[in-house]
Amino acid sequence: MSEDRNTSRDEIVPDTSPPLGIDELLERVRTGYDRIGPPEAAAAAEAGALLVDIRYAALRDRDGLIPGALVIERNELEWRLDPQGSHRAAEAVGHDLQVVVVCNEGYASSLAVASLQQLGLHRATDLIGGFQAWRAAGLPITPPPDARERTPGI
């Protein structure tokens, strides 16, 4: 009995379903995990979770950083956090690592989490409201360099 090459289980079949809008895509990916708010993210970090800031440099320079967060820009995230990857960060120690992804407002981080979960990082989640929610909650931030220069005592 010969195998039909057109029905191989490795064959990529084009998706013929109607395209999704970004709001529906976000809703779908977010059903696959539990998102957390700023207090829960701070507690997770205190308990050993890895906070990963994926904001681009201009936002970090404008608004500052979350102390202890690992900065990995979005376009490098999967390469740096894949525990099996040759370009992984030292912190990418295994698939059981709890990762909390932080973007600016909590949108891009949701899509990033979906990608990390596909890589087997099953405990990946994101911060609802992103960095802006963290700051609004009064949680610690390291001010951007120019703010430290202008503010005595920082």
Side-chain angles (χ1 to χ4, degrees):
M1 186 176 215
S2 67
E3 181 175 310
D4 182 358
R5 293 179 190 228
N6 292 329
T7 60
S8 166
R9 64 185 186 111
D10 294 333
E11 179 182 351
I12 297 175
V13 178
D15 184 0
T16 57
S17 57
L20 299 176
I22 188 60
D23 292 333
E24 186 176 354
L25 178 60
L26 281 170
E27 185 178 322
R28 284 188 185 188
V29 301
R30 288 173 174 167
T31 62
Y33 65 96
D34 293 323
R35 304 178 77 209
I36 61 176
E40 294 84 11
E46 185 69 29
L50 180 63
L51 293 183
V52 179
D53 186 343
I54 63 169
R55 295 174 301 142
Y56 52 90
L59 290 175
R60 296 190 312 268
D61 291 346
R62 182 189 76 188
D63 294 337
L65 299 167
I66 296 173
L70 177 64
V71 174
I72 303 175
E73 290 200 17
R74 176 63 189 97
N75 63 322
E76 297 180 359
L77 185 67
E78 292 81 359
W79 284 269
R80 305 290 286 147
L81 289 185
D82 178 2
Q84 299 173 338
S86 60
H87 298 323
R88 70 183 171 276
E91 294 85 352
V93 295
H95 288 99
D96 198 43
L97 178 66
Q98 184 179 11
V99 176
V100 179
V101 181
V102 180
C103 67
N104 194 48
E105 295 181 342
Y107 297 100
S109 57
S110 295
L111 299 176
V113 167
S115 182
L116 293 176
Q117 289 195 347
Q118 288 180 329
L119 289 175
L121 292 158
H122 61 96
R123 295 179 66 201
T125 189
D126 71 327
L127 175 59
I128 298 167
F131 179 87
Q132 298 307 323
W134 178 279
R135 182 169 60 181
L139 292 166
I141 63 168
T142 301
D146 61 338
R148 288 192 301 262
E149 292 167 5
R150 291 190 311 259
T151 307
I154 293 183

